[in-house]
Structure formats: C-alpha cells, structure tokens
Amino acid sequence: MSNNSAFLSKVNEATGLELTVSELELIFSMQDEEQNEQYKDDLKAAVLIYQDTMEHGGMMAEKAIPVWEEVNKRIALWSSWASMATPVKKGFFGRKEIPFVKRMMLRDLLSPNCDLMKSGKLDT
C-alpha cells in the first residue's frame, strides 16, 4: 500500500491535483477497461515527464510538451467528472446523492460498460 501512496503523492505533485485513493477508485469506476488502462498510462506519463523536467532544471523537452498537454487534459477531465459524481448532502435528513443535473450529464458522458453505470447509482 505504501508503494501506491508514494505513487499517488508523485501524481499529485506532477499534476497539481490533490487526488485521494477514494477519488481514484471513483474515477476507475467511471471508466471501462480501455479507459482505465489509458488513465493509468496517463498518470505514469505525467509523473515521468514531471520527474524528467525537474531533473533538467524545470525545462521540458520539446517532444514531451504535446504529450504533457494531452495527458494532463485527460487527467483533469476525469477529475472534473469525478467531482460531478461525488454525492452531496441533500434534504432535511442529509441524504447523500448525486444531484439530478450531474447524474444526467454523467449518463451521457460515461460508457455504459463502466462500473458506475452498471451499479445504477446514476439512474433517476
């Protein structure tokens, strides 16, 4: 587990995000298998490019710039969708649920093969 938390801290440092294990689990549940593999590769690429940049005095290699931009856009997109899929307290008894508008948006965005869609949490 410490290996995973060490990698997570490197991801957070590289991307500027403050991802937690539970947020990563949520993101993985929002993806199908292909997207999941791509996201893991994106996280690894972001860390490697960031570390390489730090080793070269903050100067990013020219060929790494387009990869960096693409990888960070996908990482940020999934983080944004994960924040939409995070239940919030609602009502008198503080029942946690994903707001209706966000549920509808996620239903249109996510693959029907992802765990979150299969779980029925986005059903109205």
Side-chain angles (χ1 to χ4, degrees):
M1 183 65 175
S2 65
N3 191 20
N4 289 338
S5 62
F7 181 73
L8 184 58
S9 68
K10 289 178 184 179
V11 167
N12 288 340
E13 184 179 353
T15 62
L17 297 172
E18 295 181 9
L19 295 173
T20 63
V21 173
S22 62
E23 288 171 330
L24 277 180
E25 289 172 350
L26 176 59
I27 290 170
F28 292 146
S29 76
M30 296 170 64
Q31 300 170 333
D32 61 26
E33 289 181 32
E34 184 179 325
Q35 292 168 328
N36 195 293
E37 288 303 314
Q38 181 184 36
Y39 188 73
K40 289 177 184 177
D41 290 343
D42 288 346
L43 294 175
K44 290 174 190 173
V47 168
L48 290 174
I49 293 170
Y50 177 77
Q51 288 175 339
D52 184 63
T53 301
M54 291 298 105
E55 290 172 5
H56 293 93
M59 190 76 152
M60 188 177 292
E62 279 294 318
K63 63 182 179 181
I65 293 173
V67 175
W68 175 257
E69 290 173 353
E70 183 178 331
V71 160
N72 274 302
K73 283 179 187 175
R74 280 196 298 264
I75 293 170
L77 179 70
W78 283 108
S79 295
S80 172
W81 289 354
S83 70
M84 287 175 43
T86 303
V88 294
K89 285 187 178 184
K90 187 175 182 179
F92 183 71
F93 296 106
R95 183 173 155 225
K96 284 188 167 188
E97 63 180 38
I98 301 169
F100 176 76
V101 173
K102 292 179 180 180
R103 276 196 322 255
M104 299 313 295
M105 289 175 64
L106 289 168
R107 286 181 65 173
D108 289 340
L109 294 171
L110 300 178
S111 166
N113 298 325
C114 74
D115 292 341
L116 186 63
M117 292 290 279
K118 289 178 182 178
S119 72
K121 291 181 182 177
L122 297 179
D123 294 339
T124 53

